[in-house]
Amino acid sequence: MAKTLVWFRQDLRVRDNPALYHAAKAGDVIGIYIEAKLQRQQHNESPAKVGLIYDSLLELRKELNNLNIPLHIRTCDYFGDQLDLIQQMVKDNNITALYFNNEYPINELERDEQLVKWLEDQGVEVHRYDGDLALEPGLVKNKQGDPYKVFTPYKKSWIEKHKTAPVEPLLPPESQSCYINKQETENFSAEYRDDLWAAGETAAHKQLKKFLSDVEDYRDKRDIPSVAGTSFLSPYLAIGAISSKQCIHALLEHYEGDEAKLYGDTWFSELVWREFYRQILIDKPALTKHKAFNQDAKEVWTDNRDAFEAWKDGKTGFPIIDAAMRQLNQTGWMHNRLRMNTAMFLNKLCLVDWRWGEKYFMQTLIDGDFASNNGGWQWCSSTGADGAPYFRIMSPLSQSKRFDPEGEFIRKLVPELKGLDKKSIHNPTTEQRKDLGYPEPVIDYKESRKRALELLS
Ligand SMILES: Cc1cc2nc3c(=O)[nH]c(=O)nc-3n(C[C@H](O)[C@H](O)[C@H](O)COP(=O)(O)OP(=O)(O)OC[C@H]3O[C@@H](n4cnc5c(N)ncnc54)[C@H](O)[C@@H]3O)c2cc1C
């Protein structure tokens, strides 16, 4: 019987996990996960995400052990050390084949290439899959065979490919005959809001089920930060406790197989945005080197550290922006509309380099994901693929009145303003600010907007 090793990375699930599924078909499986602690810090990923990963691994281990598959949880410093550990594992256990699901940022790709070379030299088979995407990378191309740079035609073409692609998620592997005598565990747990996100695959599916029971309301509720109108699945998708393929398939089942309903669904579209940004990263790995997608875009940023600090702390004097940043700081998650508002505020109104904001988001978000975060920031700063036009600058005041009309969200996150009426809560008077200990606006909105338009045009 062949002995296979599955290297878990951003795919912490037993269901719809191609590497695990195929490895178990080929032979007895050993699973390993290796946390590269310093590398993760270098990639600016948050302690919250690390905490969720660790707890999700413990859940994954339970699921795997039920199938007689052991899971070793190891730690090291850098990607290079991960390779040493894998090589040791291969030698110690006479592994004949390694299975893993691909990751697309450049350091990960280079690491994997190095490993594949070593394994091939040793005569060990390597099997790689694309479990992080619902459609294989490279499948969706324009008529010239080039990758799409604009979302709408990408989505149209994505749907055409999806109609003919296998859409059924994979089942969990069958129970193994191997005997688990030892599983190494190196603890790397970190704090996160486990009251908001229960760890693991089962919790992710529970959340999906709960969300789908109200999915018809998503279109109307998704822009209102005071209501729980979105799925809250991003942390699970980011660590692979659930796959986008599973989400799309569950949505299709919700619509009883009606493809027209699936493809016309607003939530489905968001999942395709996730695929779009991944495809952009796969086609342009230089994005991981802090490059703008659109090299011709104007980059006119200033060294406005005061504004940046106020923004990070949720003390800009713009209630909706401060509420959003405090939501991020307190929970590790921020509502999508507010991600756009806070990003445009920092970048276009304060003229702070979008890379600073991108980094702070990564350092704080529990769902920090390079492709989606970079895509979101470059969209907002108009430097990205299909970015917002340069003159699109969301006004914090209008957005606040429109999407938090009663000031409910602000009241919850900026408690010093909770006694204000629904009109003044969006922009308190100087007197009210003084009385309540709330700062004056860190920028003059009208002047800042004018300056941004002049500089960016
Ligand atoms: C500046 C900025 C930074 C962002 N950084 C991240 C990030 O680090 N990680 C992350 O997962 N998302 C990021 N997003 C996208 C989006 O804000 C979150 O995915 C969403 O808010 C997560 O909440 P949810 O799971 O309830 O989303 P839902 O609305 O329920 O959407 C379902 C899923 O679709 C995907 N999705 C939704 N919107 C987008 C989008 N605009 N781009 C890509 N995928 C999307 C996510 O995987 C999400 O979980 C960012 C957006 C912006 C504007």
Side-chain angles (χ1 to χ4, degrees):
M1 188 76 166
K3 254 190 152 183
T4 65
L5 180 64
V6 175
W7 182 6
F8 288 91
R9 294 108 72 95
Q10 263 185 213
D11 50 353
L12 307 186
R13 60 181 184 272
V14 295
R15 284 173 273 172
D16 198 37
N17 185 327
L20 176 64
Y21 180 84
H22 292 290
K25 280 213 170 304
D28 277 343
V29 177
I30 298 176
I32 188 165
Y33 176 90
I34 310 164
E35 175 69 10
K37 296 197 235 178
L38 298 181
Q39 189 88 38
R40 195 179 291 281
Q41 277 175 25
Q42 263 186 8
H43 289 176
N44 297 307
E45 294 199 18
S46 72
K49 186 173 173 186
V50 171
L52 182 66
I53 289 176
Y54 184 74
D55 283 358
S56 298
L57 277 167
L58 299 181
E59 294 300 313
L60 175 67
R61 174 182 275 170
K62 282 186 211 155
E63 301 261 358
L64 288 170
N65 286 181
N66 286 338
L67 302 167
N68 282 333
I69 298 173
L71 177 68
H72 298 275
I73 302 174
R74 304 293 309 269
T75 63
C76 66
D77 288 340
Y78 293 103
F79 280 172
D81 308 316
Q82 285 183 328
L83 299 190
D84 294 342
L85 284 171
I86 292 284
Q87 290 171 4
Q88 201 55 51
M89 193 80 188
V90 166
K91 286 183 203 152
D92 291 350
N93 296 280
N94 300 320
I95 296 295
T96 49
L98 177 77
Y99 288 71
F100 61 86
N101 294 308
N102 287 320
E103 294 181 296
Y104 309 106
I106 206 157
N107 295 152
E108 283 79 347
L109 285 175
E110 285 170 4
R111 172 199 63 191
D112 290 349
E113 287 318 316
Q114 222 181 309
L115 179 63
V116 167
K117 194 175 171 311
W118 181 85
L119 290 164
E120 283 172 355
D121 288 349
Q122 306 299 309
V124 177
E125 288 175 26
V126 186
H127 300 269
R128 314 171 63 156
Y129 302 89
D130 291 294
D132 192 33
L133 286 150
L135 284 186
E136 244 174 72
L139 201 61
V140 183
K141 295 239 162 92
N142 66 18
K143 286 199 181 93
Q144 291 72 42
D146 296 326
Y148 284 100
K149 293 180 188 152
V150 178
F151 178 70
T152 306
Y154 170 84
K155 182 182 155 191
K156 219 172 140 211
S157 174
W158 196 97
I159 289 173
E160 288 314 308
K161 296 286 179 202
H162 190 251
K163 282 180 181 165
T164 54
V167 292
E168 286 275 341
L170 293 167
L171 295 170
E174 280 176 20
S175 192
Q176 299 284 291
S177 57
C178 45
Y179 171 67
I180 303 169
N181 56 0
K182 190 174 147 235
Q183 293 176 113
E184 284 165 294
T185 312
E186 285 167 354
N187 189 328
F188 60 90
S189 61
E191 272 188 30
Y192 68 103
R193 290 291 299 272
D194 55 1
D195 56 327
L196 300 178
W197 283 280
E201 183 174 0
T202 305
H205 281 273
K206 212 169 138 197
Q207 181 63 23
L208 173 64
K209 199 168 165 210
K210 184 170 160 231
F211 170 71
L212 285 181
S213 65
D214 283 332
V215 71
E216 278 84 0
D217 294 342
Y218 178 75
R219 199 191 165 96
D220 296 330
K221 288 190 180 164
R222 70 188 181 124
D223 274 322
I224 312 294
S226 61
V227 302
T230 66
S231 70
F232 294 94
L233 282 168
S234 50
Y236 300 117
L237 282 159
I239 65 169
I242 197 166
S243 71
S244 56
K245 193 176 203 175
Q246 288 173 315
C247 293
I248 290 169
H249 190 256
L251 188 59
L252 182 61
E253 281 193 331
H254 173 82
Y255 289 132
E256 295 173 344
D258 186 334
E259 285 190 351
K261 281 193 178 156
L262 171 74
Y263 297 137
D265 183 273
T266 311
W267 192 61
F268 162 79
S269 226
E270 297 306 318
L271 291 164
V272 182
W273 268 106
R274 181 181 185 273
E275 301 265 312
F276 177 64
Y277 283 140
R278 275 172 162 57
Q279 187 61 56
I280 297 275
L281 171 63
I282 291 165
D283 292 325
K284 231 181 175 162
L287 287 175
T288 35
K289 303 216 160 175
H290 316 294
K291 295 270 188 294
F293 180 90
N294 178 2
Q295 293 287 296
D296 299 330
K298 282 197 179 165
E299 301 230 33
V300 291
W301 326 127
T302 58
D303 197 21
N304 193 346
R305 287 189 187 264
D306 290 346
F308 183 52
E309 289 306 318
W311 177 83
K312 284 200 296 188
D313 293 345
K315 290 187 177 157
T316 63
F318 288 82
I320 194 70
I321 301 295
D322 294 342
M325 292 307 292
R326 293 184 200 187
Q327 180 180 44
L328 172 64
N329 292 334
Q330 288 168 23
T331 68
W333 186 89
M334 193 199 285
H335 190 275
N336 179 56
R337 173 137 304 265
L338 301 178
R339 293 189 204 208
M340 293 191 279
N341 287 164
T342 52
M344 283 198 184
F345 178 87
L346 181 74
N347 177 247
K348 288 183 172 165
L349 293 173
C350 301
L351 285 188
V352 169
D353 195 329
W354 56 268
R355 296 166 188 85
W356 294 17
E358 179 198 19
K359 181 173 171 186
Y360 186 70
F361 265 32
M362 273 313 273
Q363 286 170 334
T364 322
L365 282 169
I366 189 168
D367 64 17
D369 170 82
F370 181 83
S372 300
N373 193 42
N374 183 269
W377 275 93
Q378 294 219 42
W379 184 87
C380 292
S381 66
S382 309
T383 59
D386 202 9
Y390 79 88
F391 50 81
R392 179 135 191 234
I393 305 177
M394 291 173 179
S395 148
L397 186 58
S398 326
Q399 292 275 309
S400 186
K401 287 180 181 164
R402 184 165 166 209
F403 297 110
D404 191 27
E406 303 295 318
E408 258 177 87
F409 183 74
I410 297 176
R411 252 177 221 109
K412 195 168 146 209
L413 274 303
V414 190
E416 60 269 39
L417 302 183
K418 73 170 184 265
L420 294 181
D421 61 67
K422 72 175 190 182
K423 195 161 170 259
S424 43
I425 197 161
H426 302 288
N427 185 17
T429 62
T430 304
E431 210 151 73
Q432 285 168 332
R433 287 171 193 264
K434 253 191 211 143
D435 285 352
L436 301 169
Y438 184 68
E440 281 293 308
V442 74
I443 49 151
D444 178 289
Y445 170 70
K446 274 194 185 145
E447 269 178 29
S448 304
R449 181 183 159 80
K450 194 166 157 258
R451 182 184 57 175
L453 291 177
E454 278 164 12
L455 289 171
L456 292 170
S457 65

